[in-house]
């Protein structure tokens, strides 16, 4: 762990958005994740969260989020409890505030994966244990910590790199990537068709933070302009959970925003391709790109485990 991060402390904190974290706090998470990954690969066991329990509330289905948090807690010596909203009193009308107070009496931390970001904020406001945002419609901070870790592993640094996000700008990944780039000194351009731009308040805040931090984030409707000279090309599904009914409309709107061989010719020769998965080959990305030599999507997926372990350790570890 770097000397500059030795005094940074996230213990007892909530982790709701990247924007709420300082650059030093993000680097602490990345350093911790890299250290935990190295130890796991070496077979070194560290039960830093022995005896602790994480409640995991899922109102949206999941593969990587559930497995990463559940396995992560196990590897850190703790346990994780899967709670579907269908099986909880939330599904019968109990308030989020009451749920937060009850769970706080039983567990050491709460992770929630849901729709409206207001639910996460209400849960955190009423819980007395750390709350982790596993995904909302507006933000996906745990994924972006994994993404930043993956970029740092492959490129050696974050500051000074140029990245782009091609696809739905009004998307949790686009929002959290804007916040992550602005915080860590990485240039990032989001490119989307008209009507699918990033949230104005999130974009404006990220632009201001980037300016203070010596980098640039922004938006363009031209995917070619966004990809030009990029080190990292990122995309995500054109239809998030709950938007499947708009499939025909979205396929038409995004038809010129596929990441394919023609588009990536504009990126740097050693560009990296990223996608948080699940992917729809032939829609947002061509098969030859996601399955090609520039793709690091499975390194990115694996790093969900190490990033989530770092978040858990930094928030839940006792003195």
């Amino acid at each position: 762990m770097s000397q500059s991060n030795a005094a940074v402390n996230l213990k007892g904190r909530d982790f709701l958005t990247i924007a709420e974290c300082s650059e030093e706090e993000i680097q602490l998470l990345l350093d911790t994740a890299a250290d935990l990954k190295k130890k796991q690969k070496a077979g070194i066991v560290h039960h830093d969260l022995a005896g602790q329990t994480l409640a995991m509330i899922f109102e949206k289905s999941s593969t990587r989020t559930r497995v990463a948090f559940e396995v992560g807690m196990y590897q850190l010596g703790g346990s994780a409890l899967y709670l579907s909203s269908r099986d909880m009193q939330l599904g019968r009308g109990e308030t989020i505030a009451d749920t937060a107070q009850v769970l706080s009496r039983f567990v050491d931390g709460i992770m929630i994966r849901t729709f409206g970001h207001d639910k996460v904020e209400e849960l955190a406001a009423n819980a007395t244990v750390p709350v982790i945002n596993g995904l909302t419609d507006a933000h996906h901070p745990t994924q972006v910590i994994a993404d930043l870790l993956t970029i740092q592993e492959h490129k050696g640094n974050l500051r000074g790199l140029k990245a782009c996000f091609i696809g739905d700008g009004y998307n949790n990944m686009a929002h959290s990537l804007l916040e992550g780039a602005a915080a860590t000194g990485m240039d990032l351009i989001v490119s989307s068709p008209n009507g699918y731009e990033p949230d104005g308040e999130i974009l404006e805040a990220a632009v201001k933070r980037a300016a203070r931090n010596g980098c640039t984030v922004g938006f363009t409707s031209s995917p070619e302009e966004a990809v030009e000279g990029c080190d990292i090309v990122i995309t995500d599904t054109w239809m998030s959970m709950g938007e499947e009914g708009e499939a025909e409309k979205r396929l038409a709107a995004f038809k010129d925003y596929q990441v394919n061989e023609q588009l990536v010719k504009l990126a740097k020769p050693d560009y990296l391709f990223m996608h948080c998965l699940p992917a729809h080959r032939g829609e947002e990305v061509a098969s030859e790109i996601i399955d090609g030599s520039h793709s690091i999507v499975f390194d990115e997926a694996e790093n969900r485990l190490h990033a989530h372990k770092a978040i858990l350790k930094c928030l839940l570890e006792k003195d």
Side-chain angles (χ1 to χ4, degrees):
M1 192 172 299
S2 65
Q3 185 73 25
S4 61
N5 290 326
V8 179
N9 192 335
L10 287 166
K11 290 180 182 178
R13 288 263 301 275
D14 298 319
F15 186 70
L16 307 187
T17 69
I18 297 290
E20 295 168 10
C21 298
S22 68
E23 182 174 1
E24 293 75 20
E25 288 166 345
I26 294 171
Q27 194 59 53
L28 171 64
L29 292 172
L30 298 179
D31 290 347
T32 302
D35 181 60
L36 289 170
K37 182 175 183 177
K38 181 179 179 180
K39 287 174 179 174
Q40 185 206 37
K41 299 296 185 184
I44 300 171
V45 176
H46 276 264
H47 287 168
D48 301 306
L49 302 183
Q52 296 198 57
T53 303
L54 176 73
M56 306 189 304
I57 302 173
F58 285 88
E59 293 192 315
K60 281 190 174 185
S61 59
S62 167
T63 300
R64 282 151 291 275
T65 299
R66 178 178 178 180
V67 174
F69 274 113
E70 196 161 335
V71 172
M73 279 298 290
Y74 175 79
Q75 291 183 356
L76 291 170
S79 59
L81 181 65
Y82 176 83
L83 301 170
S84 165
S85 59
R86 296 185 300 275
D87 303 324
M88 299 173 63
Q89 296 300 332
L90 273 173
R92 297 177 58 197
E94 183 171 45
T95 67
I96 292 174
D98 286 354
T99 299
Q101 293 183 69
V102 169
L103 288 179
S104 295
R105 304 292 182 102
F106 293 135
V107 301
D108 302 281
I110 304 169
M111 188 284 297
I112 182 170
R113 183 177 169 95
T114 187
F115 293 89
H117 192 72
D118 58 322
K119 286 189 175 183
V120 174
E121 292 177 329
E122 185 177 356
L123 188 70
N126 289 278
T128 57
V129 296
V131 170
I132 300 168
N133 175 10
L135 173 144
T136 65
D137 290 341
H139 297 277
H140 201 353
T142 57
Q143 174 69 58
V144 168
I145 294 299
D147 287 4
L148 295 175
L149 174 65
T150 309
I151 295 169
Q152 184 171 271
E153 284 179 344
H154 281 267
K155 292 294 187 181
N157 63 287
L158 297 171
R159 185 169 291 277
L161 294 176
K162 181 182 179 183
C164 65
F165 178 90
I166 309 298
D168 185 1
Y170 199 81
N171 163 287
N172 48 33
M173 279 303 299
H175 292 158
S176 289
L177 283 165
L178 283 165
E179 294 175 343
T184 58
M186 184 168 60
D187 294 339
L188 175 74
I189 301 297
V190 173
S191 181
S192 312
N194 293 329
Y196 296 92
E197 300 90 346
D199 177 88
E201 290 185 6
I202 293 173
L203 178 59
E204 181 180 4
V207 167
K208 290 179 178 178
R209 185 172 189 180
R212 295 193 300 269
N213 202 18
C215 59
T216 302
V217 302
F219 171 82
T220 177
S221 60
S222 167
E224 293 81 10
E225 180 183 342
V227 172
E228 181 73 39
C230 271
D231 299 284
I232 318 290
V233 178
I234 309 169
T235 192
D236 191 10
T237 178
W238 291 339
M239 284 160 284
S240 298
M241 280 175 277
E243 296 172 341
E244 291 81 3
E246 302 177 13
E248 186 174 341
K249 175 185 175 183
R250 284 177 170 267
L251 287 172
F254 289 100
K255 63 182 177 63
D256 296 326
Y257 289 79
Q258 184 187 82
V259 177
N260 51 38
E261 286 188 337
Q262 181 177 352
L263 185 63
V264 298
K265 286 178 181 178
L266 299 171
K268 288 184 178 177
D270 62 346
Y271 84 93
L272 299 175
F273 172 75
M274 301 180 72
H275 190 308
C276 66
L277 304 179
H280 299 85
R281 289 165 173 79
E283 291 184 10
E284 71 271 8
V285 59
S287 295
E288 57 267 25
I289 300 300
I290 192 170
D291 298 321
S293 60
H294 293 269
S295 176
I296 54 172
V297 298
F298 295 112
D299 291 347
E300 179 184 5
E302 178 193 344
N303 278 340
R304 290 289 295 277
L305 172 62
H306 309 297
H308 292 15
K309 285 170 67 176
I311 293 166
L312 292 166
K313 175 179 168 64
C314 289
L315 268 60
L316 303 185
E317 189 174 25
K318 307 298 184 184
D319 290 329

